[in-house]
Amino acid sequence: MRAQSSATAAPRIAVGAAGTDSGGRSFGTVQAALGVVAFSLTFPATAWGLEGFGPWSLIAVRSVLAAAVAGGCLLVLRVAPPERRHWLGLGVVGAGVVLGFPLLTTLALQTSTTAHAAVVVGLLPLTTALLSALRVGTRPSRTFWIAALAGAAAVIAFTVQQSGGALTSADAYLFAALLVCAAGYTEGGRLARVMPGWQVIGWALVLCLPLTVPTAAVALSQEPVHLTAHSVTGLLWVAIGSQFLGLVVWYRGMAAIGIPKASQLQLAQPLLTLVWSVLLLGEHLTVAAPLTAAAVLVCIAVTQRARG
């Protein structure tokens, strides 16, 4: 990768997609949407993985496998390491989407259903949009914020109703996961403006190897492993599908259409995950779950049509 001038890179990351044509924005939307589809399978795949792996084993091994794939691509294509000024941002991506979010959501799924977790994580679009406004100076319109807040309010109401008015330990894990993941998304979307999206997540995964490799070794020695079709499939999906390929298209989409608008596409993620939880896990949904997911889905159309 050729080094890019710091004098020219900074101004291009502030607004998002202002400089792209309609075709580029449409393709960016498609890529971001593919990322959402990949992410929507993460919770069901994690539930499958937990059938055969302990939580710490699953978290560490998925990161090591994803890093092996990403590192192999970086080596084969002889990609030069990023400039020194980008390593801090890559560290934020690694801490948020490679380590923090998988750890916290896996711990939550030990006591929470995938349907419940999916709807709570419906707050991620608003969280990402807020951090984007603070970090890179994006300024979406008032309509955008009203729709985003409406979707967030529906998610909060669902969470309170499902937990009987009190937050559970799983909810605490999920809300913490929202913060670290939104930080990783925001920083990754910013970096994807100055380097290819696959390199952003690739280098973040490689950067985490000094932590994930020894953790995987210790966890596998302490936690029992039962290899089944479900557990292996779940592990492979969260490692390759969610942790690498999904983030590749996600960051490319964010770079093309802007962090706020891309983030709001994730309002569809809870609805998709609810579908997968029924089809793949046989979970039974309360009436509130699909109604809440449908409500936040309506907000997508508004945020995507909103100016800015």
Side-chain angles (χ1 to χ4, degrees), residues 71-156:
C73 293
L74 292 168
L75 284 174
V76 169
L77 297 175
R78 298 181 179 181
V79 177
E83 297 176 36
R84 182 177 299 178
R85 62 194 176 94
H86 296 320
W87 281 107
L88 179 59
L90 290 170
V92 174
V93 174
V97 303
V98 176
L99 300 177
F101 187 77
L103 169 62
L104 293 165
T105 54
T106 299
L107 293 175
L109 285 172
Q110 291 188 288
T111 56
S112 170
T113 66
T114 59
H116 179 87
V119 179
V120 174
V121 173
L123 281 172
L124 185 56
L126 176 63
T127 311
T128 303
L130 287 170
L131 289 184
S132 171
L134 295 173
R135 179 67 177 94
V136 300
T138 52
R139 293 293 182 267
S141 67
R142 182 179 300 178
T143 301
F144 175 95
W145 287 117
I146 291 173
L149 287 169
V155 172
I156 293 172

Side-chain angles (χ1 to χ4, degrees), residues 4 19 43 48 75 86 90 127 140 144 191 204 231 252 298 302:
Q4 302 219 13
F43 286 173
W48 273 8
L75 284 174
H86 296 320
L90 290 170
T127 311
F144 175 95
L191 288 171
S231 64
R252 285 176 62 90
V298 170
V302 180

